[in-house]
Each structure stands twice: as structure tokens, then as C-alpha cells.
Amino acid sequence: MPFPTDIPLSARISLLERLAGSGLLEECSQVVCLPSTQGTRPSQILDPVASGRMTVGGHVFTLQVRLPTAFPRCLPVVRLLEVEPPLDLPHRVGDKELCFTSDANLLDRRNPEAVLHGSLLMVREHLEQMFRVDLTQEYLREAFAYWGALAKGRFLACAVSERQLPQVVQIFSLGTLPCAVTDEVAGLAELLPERSTGGLRQRSAIYLPVDPVSVNPSFRVYELATLEGLRKYAEALPADQKQVLTKCVEALDSAPEHFIVLALKRSEGERTLLGVLLRGIAGGHPLTNPQARAEVLPFTLLRMDRAYLGLRGGAGGDLQKRRVLLAGCGAVGGYIALALARAGVAHLSLVDPDFFSPDNVYRHVCGMGSLGAPKVQGLKVEITRTVPYVSVSGYPEEIGGLLRTKESWVREHDLIISATGHPTADLDLNEWSWSNPEHPPVLFTWLEPLGLGGHALLTHVPRGEGPAPGCMECLHARPYEGGPLENRAAFAMPGVTYTRDTLGCGSRYMPFADLDAQRTAELASRLALRALRHERPTATLVAWRGDPRAFEAAGYSVTPRFERDADAADFRREDCPCCGAA
């Protein structure tokens, strides 16, 4: 089947011409071709445009329909030209274009006429919906979008948390241009591209919470772009808040311009933050002196406060006080550390004595960026470079030494994760954890060779009468008296050397791919988050199974467990020397 090309202009013109007989629009105009509105520069590309009327709720809406070049890979653009009798409507982009859908699935490129008709039916449904909702609340929900049009490209980063009372915050400027506003100066640097506030000028600003609808049932956000509107809502504050606002204004300097962060309360309870720069202030401060004068310049605030970013990005606020110690910052550990930081864990302690080498480039989150550096340092830099509001400490040591020299510090963590891939070190950590019921839970994770699978084991999980039984020692047994310890959870047959050697002594490595490390890290990270949220009250062993063809093609054999269900519901041993008595 040939790949479809874009619909030519003549075909799009025909589509609009047939609208007159569809009944979707009345009194359709003749189709005209206008320069495309896509992009920011004048275009030589023409789009067909037609207008018509749609009667909804006793009002006649004159609509303009445009079919862009990308139609039907995109929806038509519908603009509201006129309403009779006049009606104030929200959900418009640039005051004209109707925002009638944000997630419609009408993009059947093989049936463009159906896409056009379906879109107009959605426009009708959207207009009908506007007669059933509280328009003021709809305008309040859309305040940020409308404010953006007023701001005309003026914006700055905002790391101000939502609060109930007015307060003094800090604004930073580069030259004469404000670039960031915050209520936590110490944490601002990590939100800036240069990770530094050096060269920026700092001044005081005001955070002003307002409840617009309680003051004006017909509130429109445009009011706040005027001195009269700002004064009206400041004057309507409760008495205690007005007193706080007066003190905040008195704390400002006498400069001719001041910045205000407006926090508009929405019906859902959260607030929309908008920025205002008062420039050329004269005759007092406009918020407290009705005679004062100033020019009002709206600013779009790019929210970067912890609560907003966490909610928007899926990070849990319940994890902000959790502390995790991660031993092993290699391929799997690197992905785990980044995943936990992005999930909202605010304190990470990284433990690993190794350095980055070129061998690590293709299967580590740090790639080429940290060659020659300690793994804990390179990973710390990568995490703090990409994720805000996370504290990372690096310890270039092996975990066994820390258990013996800094035991009290290790116990301060809510969870210990071992991604070292070394069974001896894991069994040592496991024995330490079970030596004291007050020790934190421990999660072990490891990879199988050649994409065969990966595992995660959560143990020493607290419960009312002591930690739940089931541990790393339970998985290890000797097939015969005096024989080697073998992992009963393994997918690869024991007694075989799976590591490879390409450069001689000291260069052996386990063959696995970056995707195998990512998949194992995801498995372990999800289990870690459940443990941190206390959603796993018992010891848990989980695994993923990969495609065994590469493994078997290398002449290796899988264990019976690989052929069965990968997860083990009850893997504990009653005679386990660590947890058997639990």
C-alpha cells in the first residue's frame, strides 16, 4: 500500500464546500484561501477557510473553520467570530480559537470528511456544555492560559509554594530582567540552568493569595492586569491577611518597581500562580495606597516548586522524607538511583568504591560524562543535574566496611538497596540486617547473563512482632555437604562460568545489555517504592524472564525455575541461620 501524501488544497476546499449540505453549519460562506497560521513567520502556504452559523441554546454562533495542510493528521481549527445575543465564553485560545478538545481521537486520515464532521459535533457539544457549567469557575480554571496571552512572552521561573497568607518572597534578576522568584533561596540554584545564582541581583517581592470568586462572582482574570483590579482583591482580603500584607509591603525597598506573585484559589482547592511586575511606582505602593500609580506588566510563571513538579511528574510527596542507601552504582544501580529520585525520594546515599571506565559507557545512565570519576560522584552529578529537590551523598567505599565503621549512620536510612551483583557482599549485608530487628529493610537485586532475566528480593520487612521471615540466606543452599552455595532463584544453571574475559586479569564482566539493566532496575525500583510506602508487609521475591535463545545459543542451560513461574510466593527456609527463628 503506498504511503499516503498530504491532502491537496483542492481536496480540502471541496471538503469545506460540502459543509453547506451537511447540516452541521448553516449559511456557509464561500470558501476562501488564506495564508497558513502555523508557525511564527508569514507563510506562503494557503489554507482553505469557510464560515457558517451554529445555533446552540438560543444563541447563534458564527464559526470559522480552517483546514491546515496537516489535516486530517491534525484537527481543523475552529474560531468563534461572533455570538448573538452576545455571550462571554471561556476555553478560547488567543480570544478567538475554540479549545473544544485536548485529547480527541478523530484522526482517521483515510476518512477526512468524518474527521471534519466529528470535530464540528464536538464543537457543538462543547458549546452546549458551556450552558451547563459555572462560567466564572471555568474562567478561573483557565486563568493561566488567558494570563499567558496578556504576558506577551514575558516569563520567569517560579519556585514559590502555595500558602494561605501573604509573605515576602525573593526575586532574582539578570540585569534589568527578572528571571526567577522563590520562597526558598537556598534551593533556587539547583533550578537554574547554570546551577548558580552568581551574577543575579536579589530583591524582595510579595506573594499575595486571593480568592477571586468570593469577591466577584463574575471574576475575569483580565481584572488583575490593572491597578484597580489588584487593589480591589487586595482590599477584599480578610483583616488578618491585610495586616500581614501591610507588613510585607513595609518590608520592601523604595525601588520604583516591585514584583507580585498572585495565587488564585481554585474551586478544587489548589492555586494558580500568576506574576505581575509593577513598574514606575509613584505615590506609595499600589496594593495599600489607592492614590499610587504604576504600570502593570503581567508575567507567566513557570512553576518549579517541589509540590507542583512532583504532582505533575508523578513523584510522590509521601517520599520526600525517605532516606535510601544504594550500594552498587553500576548499570542497574544507576537506573535505580535516577528512578527513585524522579519518584520523589529526596535523600540518596550512594555507596560504591569503583571508578567509571570506557567499559561502562553503553550500559550506564552517566554514559561518557563521568569517565575516570568515582561512580558515586558521577552518578551524583547526573542526578542533581536532571532532578531538582534531591540530596545526594557519595561514599566511594564498599558496603561491608560501612556496616562495620558507620553502623549507626547506615541505620538512619529507611531502606538499603544492594545492586552490587556480588553474592558474598549481599549475604554479608543480609546477615547484618538480621542481626538487629531495628535495622531497616533491605532490597537485593541482580541480573542473569545474556538477557535471561533479573531479580529483586525485599527482606527484613518490619511487622508488629518483628521482621517477616524470608531473606537472601534462604535462597542459598549447598547441593551436597561441603559443596558450593547455589542460588535457588537462579535461571542459569549453577557451576558454570558466565562472565567473560577480553583483556586478561581483572577484566571479567557479566554479559548483559543496557535494556536488561533498565528492566531489572524498574523491577527493583517499583518494589523499593512499595517498601518505602509500607505497602509490602512481607518478604518478597520477584523476577522477570527474558528470551533464552541467546543464552542457549551460547551453549548454556536454564534451570527448572526458569521454566516455571518466575516469582516465588514462599521461598523461605525454616532452617535459615538468619531469619529461620523470625
Side-chain angles (χ1 to χ4, degrees):
M1 180 183 295
F3 188 71
T5 59
D6 286 337
I7 298 178
L9 178 61
S10 59
R12 285 180 283 141
I13 291 174
S14 297
L15 278 173
L16 287 182
E17 288 176 340
R18 291 197 294 274
L19 265 182
S22 69
L24 293 168
L25 287 181
E26 306 165 356
E27 303 179 30
C28 289
S29 69
Q30 183 177 358
V31 178
V32 297
C33 291
L34 300 177
S36 173
T37 57
Q38 304 299 310
T40 57
R41 297 181 179 181
S43 175
Q44 302 300 316
I45 300 174
L46 297 179
D47 292 338
V49 176
S51 59
R53 297 185 176 183
M54 181 181 289
T55 303
V56 180
H59 292 260
V60 178
F61 297 86
T62 302
L63 304 175
Q64 181 194 77
V65 182
R66 176 189 293 263
L67 299 185
T69 304
F71 178 84
R73 290 182 286 111
C74 71
L75 297 179
V77 177
V78 181
R79 301 177 72 229
L80 175 61
L81 301 181
E82 187 180 10
V83 184
E84 288 293 338
L87 181 67
D88 192 13
L89 282 180
H91 297 286
R92 286 177 289 168
V93 180
D95 198 42
K96 293 289 185 179
E97 183 179 330
L98 285 178
C99 183
F100 62 92
T101 178
S102 60
D103 55 2
N105 185 20
L106 299 174
L107 307 184
D108 183 355
R109 67 186 186 282
R110 295 188 180 89
N111 194 347
E113 193 149 9
V115 175
L116 175 58
H117 288 191
S119 297
L120 289 174
L121 288 174
M122 291 189 70
V123 169
R124 173 176 287 278
E125 182 180 351
H126 171 74
L127 295 175
E128 290 173 346
Q129 177 72 12
M130 290 302 98
F131 289 98
R132 299 192 293 268
V133 299
D134 184 327
L135 291 183
T136 298
Q137 290 293 345
E138 291 300 307
Y139 267 109
L140 185 54
R141 291 189 182 95
E142 297 298 315
F144 183 83
Y146 282 100
W147 195 257
L150 295 173
K152 299 178 180 178
R154 293 183 293 264
F155 64 89
L156 71 160
C158 175
V160 176
S161 302
E162 298 178 17
R163 301 177 187 271
Q164 304 301 318
L165 295 175
Q167 68 169 344
V168 174
V169 295
Q170 300 299 310
I171 186 164
F172 289 79
S173 301
L174 183 61
T176 60
L177 297 176
C179 61
V181 60
T182 181
D183 56 1
E184 187 180 347
V185 175
L188 177 65
E190 63 180 304
L191 300 177
L192 299 176
E194 298 80 11
R195 294 297 189 271
S196 171
T197 57
L200 300 181
R201 181 168 59 98
Q202 178 182 347
R203 295 180 53 216
S204 295
I206 289 180
Y207 169 87
L208 178 62
V210 295
D211 187 356
V213 178
S214 67
V215 178
N216 180 10
S218 301
F219 167 77
R220 298 294 183 265
V221 73
Y222 308 109
E223 299 176 72
L224 296 173
T226 67
L227 278 183
E228 294 75 15
L230 288 172
R231 289 191 186 112
K232 178 172 71 174
Y233 290 98
E235 180 64 29
L237 289 173
D240 58 336
Q241 293 193 28
K242 288 178 66 175
Q243 292 177 1
V244 175
L245 175 61
T246 299
K247 292 181 180 179
C248 291
V249 170
E250 291 172 351
L252 299 177
D253 57 33
S254 58
E257 62 180 43
H258 289 140
F259 197 85
I260 303 172
V261 176
L262 298 168
L264 280 59
K265 184 178 180 180
R266 295 170 45 140
S267 60
E268 294 85 354
E270 76 276 10
R271 294 180 181 271
T272 297
L273 301 189
L274 311 175
V276 168
L277 178 65
L278 299 180
R279 191 167 65 181
I281 296 175
H285 198 282
L287 291 182
T288 55
N289 189 332
Q291 306 302 319
R293 302 181 304 280
E295 179 185 8
V296 180
L297 296 179
F299 273 73
T300 296
L301 298 183
L302 305 180
R303 293 283 297 271
M304 300 184 72
D305 55 284
R306 185 196 300 267
Y308 176 81
L309 289 184
L311 177 65
R312 184 66 175 83
D318 56 333
L319 301 174
Q320 292 178 8
K321 296 182 179 181
R322 298 289 188 265
R323 298 175 60 88
V324 174
L325 186 153
L326 173 67
C329 297
V332 176
Y335 285 116
I336 290 175
L338 202 55
L340 295 183
R342 286 175 169 164
V345 175
H347 303 278
L348 292 174
S349 299
L350 307 179
V351 177
D352 195 315
D354 290 342
F355 288 73
F356 280 111
S357 69
D359 304 344
N360 304 127
V361 167
Y362 276 100
R363 57 185 197 185
H364 200 283
V365 293
C366 293
M368 290 283 289
S370 301
L371 289 180
K375 286 185 176 179
V376 293
Q377 180 62 29
L379 187 54
K380 174 182 177 178
V381 170
E382 181 65 16
I383 293 171
T384 54
R385 183 185 69 84
T386 56
V387 184
Y389 302 116
V390 58
S391 171
V392 184
S393 301
Y395 301 86
E397 307 176 43
E398 54 101 11
I399 182 63
L402 288 176
L403 297 178
R404 290 160 175 83
T405 60
K406 295 184 178 180
E407 180 179 9
S408 59
W409 170 77
V410 174
R411 289 176 56 178
E412 294 174 359
H413 295 84
D414 299 287
L415 177 67
I416 299 173
I417 300 176
S418 174
T420 64
H422 298 304
T424 302
D426 285 348
L427 288 170
D428 185 60
L429 172 58
N430 182 78
E431 187 171 359
W432 174 86
S433 70
W434 284 92
S435 67
N436 187 330
E438 299 300 320
H439 286 168
V442 179
L443 189 151
F444 300 95
T445 184
W446 65 98
L447 271 166
E448 298 274 354
L450 295 169
L452 195 57
H455 307 264
L457 166 64
L458 176 65
T459 183
H460 205 256
V461 182
R463 59 178 184 175
E465 61 277 17
C471 70
M472 178 61 80
E473 190 86 25
C474 289
L475 292 181
H476 288 77
R478 300 182 191 276
Y480 53 87
E481 186 69 26
L485 285 174
E486 296 178 358
N487 190 332
R488 297 188 296 127
F491 292 157
M493 288 295 290
V496 179
T497 299
Y498 295 104
T499 56
R500 293 178 176 176
D501 175 3
T502 56
L503 299 176
C505 293
S507 67
R508 300 201 69 86
Y509 67 96
M510 177 69 76
F512 64 86
D514 183 71
L515 289 176
D516 303 329
Q518 289 189 47
R519 190 170 178 181
T520 304
E522 180 189 357
L523 182 81
S525 298
R526 290 186 183 277
L527 185 56
L529 293 175
R530 296 193 68 180
L532 290 169
R533 294 181 174 123
H534 308 296
E535 297 173 356
R536 272 292 176 180
T538 186
T540 304
L541 174 65
V542 293
W544 65 270
R545 289 182 293 181
D547 187 335
R549 287 179 294 181
F551 180 79
E552 293 173 336
Y556 302 131
S557 300
V558 300
T559 62
R561 180 173 182 249
F562 180 82
E563 305 290 354
R564 301 193 303 268
D565 183 13
D567 294 347
D570 188 2
F571 58 90
R572 62 184 177 176
R573 286 192 294 133
E574 297 294 339
D575 62 342
C576 176
C578 282
C579 72

